[in-house]
Amino acid sequence: EAGVAQSPRYKIIEKRQSVAFWCNPISGHATLYWYQQILGQGPKLLIQFQNNGVVDDSQLPKDRFSAERLKGVDSTLKIQPAKLEDSAVYLCASSLFAGDGNTIYFGEGSWLTVV
Amino acid sequence: RKEVEQDPGPFNVPEGATVAFNCTYSNSASQSFFWYRQDCRKEPKLLMSVYSSGNEDGRFTAQLNRASQYISLLIRDSKLSDSATYLCVVNPGAGTALIFGKGTTLSVSS
């Protein structure tokens, strides 16, 4: 079974530039999450989708971050304009059942460095 | 108060040692609990679920105390391969996303 695919794996941009990350979840997983993990910290939820609807985006900095999942499958996360503090790993995950830690799988992450 | 708090670590232990990690959570209505393992520069992966009755998987034992809102993970006979960051994870409610602790780093040396 194919896992959660993410791209690009690594990205270096200057502050105030924009960047977009793509995620393809495991086939059949209706729930998709984007987490941000800053070095030395645990993953922090940015947004949770159920199919193509947003369940929770309370911690998404909406002035600069946006995410969509138009057809209920792939998702993109965009940052514009980037700040130095956005340097982190952006982890996409999907699960069969919403919030089920037994069925959630993470992608390898997209590593962002903002200089 | 943070939603999920863990021992700060790091824990540096010799092979064969027993090590225990502790975690507390703030939301008393939380429904399910997990320990995840994260290797350096890798994604988090489920280590084990945590049940009120306790849960054992080989050298790993997880305990949950709902009254104290406390979760623990015990690793017996530590191996070099156990070196990783251990994340305490809580599901605060049905259909909601998992909340992760900061993680505790374990380094096992020969």
Side-chain angles (χ1 to χ4, degrees), chain B residues 2-6 23-25 88-90 99-102:
Chain B
K2 292 188 177 180
E3 292 188 81
V4 180
E5 293 199 65
Q6 297 186 238
C23 169
T24 57
Y25 59 95
C88 179
V89 184
V90 173
I99 298 174
F100 288 77
K102 189 175 180 179

Side-chain angles (χ1 to χ4, degrees), chain A residues 2-104:
Chain A
V4 177
Q6 291 189 242
S7 67
R9 289 293 317 281
Y10 304 95
K11 192 77 176 179
I12 301 174
I13 61 172
E14 295 182 350
K15 58 184 179 184
R16 292 186 291 274
Q17 287 188 325
S18 63
V19 63
F21 301 116
W22 172 83
C23 172
N24 188 316
I26 291 174
S27 178
H29 281 193
T31 311
L32 184 147
Y33 318 81
W34 284 100
Y35 282 86
Q36 178 194 56
Q37 186 172 23
I38 293 172
L39 186 66
Q41 298 184 20
K44 183 186 86 170
L45 179 73
L46 291 176
I47 190 166
Q48 176 186 352
F49 292 96
Q50 184 69 22
N51 295 309
N52 61 347
V54 176
V55 174
D56 182 359
D57 64 356
S58 58
Q59 299 187 90
L60 186 73
K62 297 181 185 64
D63 57 334
R64 298 184 302 105
F65 286 65
S66 65
E68 60 183 13
R69 193 185 184 199
L70 292 176
K71 297 183 178 179
V73 182
D74 293 9
S75 177
T76 57
L77 175 71
K78 297 179 181 178
I79 307 173
Q80 181 179 16
K83 292 186 175 181
L84 296 177
E85 59 260 36
D86 298 332
S87 295
V89 182
Y90 291 86
L91 294 162
C92 179
S94 69
S95 65
L96 195 57
F97 304 108
D100 183 1
N102 290 304
T103 67
I104 188 171

Side-chain angles (χ1 to χ4, degrees), chain B residues 22-73:
Chain B
N22 302 313
C23 169
T24 57
Y25 59 95
S26 60
N27 185 348
S28 60
S30 295
Q31 298 195 350
S32 52
F33 310 88
F34 310 90
W35 283 100
Y36 272 65
R37 170 186 170 136
Q38 187 171 28
D39 292 303
C40 187
R41 301 184 69 83
K42 297 289 188 180
E43 71 275 22
K45 291 184 179 178
L46 177 66
L47 177 66
M48 59 197 307
S49 302
V50 188
Y51 307 116
S52 297
S53 56
N55 188 20
E56 185 172 322
D57 183 4
R59 298 181 293 108
F60 298 81
T61 301
Q63 297 279 355
L64 167 65
N65 184 322
R66 285 187 180 269
S68 303
Q69 294 177 215
Y70 171 88
I71 305 162
S72 66
L73 176 67

